[in-house]
Amino acid sequence: MNRLPNSLGVAASADRIVLLDDRDQLADLRRQTAAAPTMMLGDGSNVLFVDDFRGTVVLNRLSGVNVLEQDARNCLIEAAAGESWDGLVRWACDRGFWGLENLALIPGRVGAAPIQNIGAYGVELKGSCLAVEVLDEDGKLRWLDAEHCNFGYRDSLFKHTGASLWVTALRLRLSRTASPNLSYAGLAEALAEHHPDELTPTLIADAVRQIRRSKLPDPAVLGNAGSFFKNPTLPSDQVRALQDRYPQLPAWPVSESRVKISAAWLIEQAGWKGHRNGDAGVAPGHALVLVNHGQASGAQLWALARAMADDVWARFGVRLETEPRVIGGA
Ligand code: EPU
């Protein structure tokens, strides 16, 4: 059985699964898969398979992390797409390189990071990403500068190019001088006992790991794909009207005219937190996280997600957008 890895723990298969662990395979693989639908997958930590994948899945296991340049202030590193993301964070922290520590313990591999511009605790990948290497449809490897990657909130060019660009490596600029980002209140609180001069990337990464473990279920124990919905960004007027009715609604301005609101809060108010229907459920500890208690199918999880989104729409007039990639389920 060609069972596909996925952190939601859903049974799903592909017609063919190929392991990519050598850059020399790239051009050939591109040619072989040109005719059929193809999908690149790391650990499947941000995907819901509602249906099996009718085509070839390429499991990216390209490895290697290197320092390309460094001076007293900065360093430029390159990481292959198949490396573990959290492994890369540890590698950087161990060397005293700043910039990735707030992104500790995000599941998945390096190649998935630019696709949704991973972010947590006040930091996004785009803050350190200089360029993304891709294999294009003609089988050519090229580097795309970050400014051409259209990074946005849980968004990028790669979310919209489907299988036409395969991410093969990232170049990141990290800092060698202290640059802690404690803008997330919970993180600042967790580190409040430390003098600012004592802070190290490892200390911050460990605090982030603790916060994540306290809020988010471990996919190795309870299947999940992190936040299942994005936090909606709405016109300020609409948020003001919502806050007149719901003064507790958490909201953060993102520009002069737009405000981000908490999807978790809306879902919790609608009564879905901890809900369970068979093995498909919502995490008891965080309303944004769909969980698989055992044998839930992709279709069951997708039905639950749609019921939640429909209910939030009916109650609050706010549309929830799915964060992970959803395969099938039309
Ligand atoms: N909240 C609730 N109910 C809940 C959970 C949270 O009302 O069940 C409220 C909290 O009280 C808080 C607000 O929602 O006021 C925000 O909660 P939290 O700090 O947990 O963050 P989030 O907005 O729910 C986002 C990201 C996470 C990231 C955290 C921390 C999205 C979709 N999710 O979650 O990213 O770790 O912020 O920066 O933006 C992911 O993308 O998979 C992910 C886990």
Side-chain angles (χ1 to χ4, degrees):
M1 247 290 265
N2 289 331
R3 199 173 159 137
L4 293 167
N6 67 98
S7 64
L8 269 163
V10 157
S13 64
D15 294 339
R16 180 173 169 236
I17 299 179
V18 182
L19 204 69
L20 166 66
D21 57 6
D22 185 339
R23 287 167 69 89
D24 287 346
Q25 291 169 266
L26 281 168
D28 250 12
L29 251 183
R30 219 9 161 178
R31 266 194 299 278
Q32 283 172 31
T33 56
T38 306
M39 178 182 178
M40 183 75 112
L41 202 64
D43 289 332
S45 47
N46 206 44
V47 60
L48 169 62
F49 288 101
V50 181
D51 295 325
D52 291 333
F53 187 73
R54 299 268 67 98
T56 302
V57 168
V58 178
L59 293 183
N60 195 328
R61 299 293 180 265
L62 294 173
S63 61
V65 181
N66 294 297
V67 178
L68 300 182
E69 300 170 359
Q70 58 180 318
D71 58 26
R73 295 165 61 101
N74 294 304
C75 69
L76 174 64
I77 67 162
E78 186 172 313
E83 289 283 343
S84 135
W85 174 262
D86 193 51
L88 177 67
V89 173
R90 285 182 192 278
W91 179 95
C93 290
D94 285 350
R95 285 159 182 76
F97 297 159
W98 293 80
L100 304 183
E101 56 282 357
N102 293 41
L103 304 177
L105 210 61
I106 294 183
R109 299 197 182 229
V110 166
I115 294 176
Q116 63 151 353
N117 180 27
I118 55 170
Y121 309 107
V123 170
E124 287 184 337
L125 177 80
K126 84 171 188 190
S128 51
C129 185
L130 272 191
V132 177
E133 189 194 43
V134 293
L135 184 80
D136 68 17
E137 274 177 305
D138 300 328
K140 291 205 175 61
L141 281 167
R142 54 195 170 95
W143 284 96
L144 288 178
D145 288 342
E147 72 216 52
H148 294 120
C149 296
N150 301 345
F151 289 129
Y153 166 58
R154 297 296 191 276
D155 198 20
S156 75
L157 168 77
F158 313 107
K159 233 177 163 169
H160 307 280
T161 49
S164 66
L165 297 176
W166 293 1
V167 173
T168 47
L170 300 189
R171 280 189 184 154
L172 304 172
R173 182 187 297 287
L174 305 179
S175 173
R176 299 189 64 207
T177 57
S179 39
N181 180 330
L182 303 185
S183 58
Y184 185 88
L187 186 55
E189 274 161 37
L191 292 163
E193 280 173 18
H194 293 275
H195 188 275
D197 293 345
E198 279 169 38
L199 293 177
T200 62
T202 299
L203 205 60
I204 296 179
D206 285 346
V208 165
R209 288 193 176 92
Q210 236 172 31
I211 296 175
R212 285 190 76 94
R213 288 196 182 103
S214 72
K215 290 193 175 205
L216 301 167
D218 177 354
V221 177
L222 187 61
N224 75 87
S227 300
F228 200 85
F229 298 102
K230 289 186 182 187
N231 285 326
T233 302
L234 305 174
S236 323
D237 292 352
Q238 188 182 352
V239 174
R240 224 169 290 124
L242 275 168
Q243 285 186 313
D244 284 346
R245 283 165 62 202
Y246 309 103
Q248 309 297 325
L249 170 66
W252 311 269
V254 290
S255 71
E256 295 260 301
S257 58
R258 298 188 67 80
V259 177
K260 199 188 269 183
I261 62 170
S262 163
W265 190 89
L266 299 176
I267 294 168
E268 181 170 349
Q269 297 309 303
W272 291 96
K273 191 169 175 172
H275 170 92
R276 182 168 175 174
N277 185 1
D279 276 349
V282 180
H286 204 298
L288 260 191
V289 182
L290 255 62
V291 292
N292 182 353
H293 288 282
Q295 303 300 318
S297 67
Q300 285 166 333
L301 286 160
W302 187 226
L304 172 61
R306 280 183 307 175
M308 292 162 70
D310 287 349
D311 192 26
V312 165
W313 168 246
R315 286 172 193 260
F316 302 104
V318 175
R319 296 240 183 250
L320 292 183
E321 204 182 311
T322 304
E323 201 215 64
R325 219 163 135 196
V326 178
I327 303 298

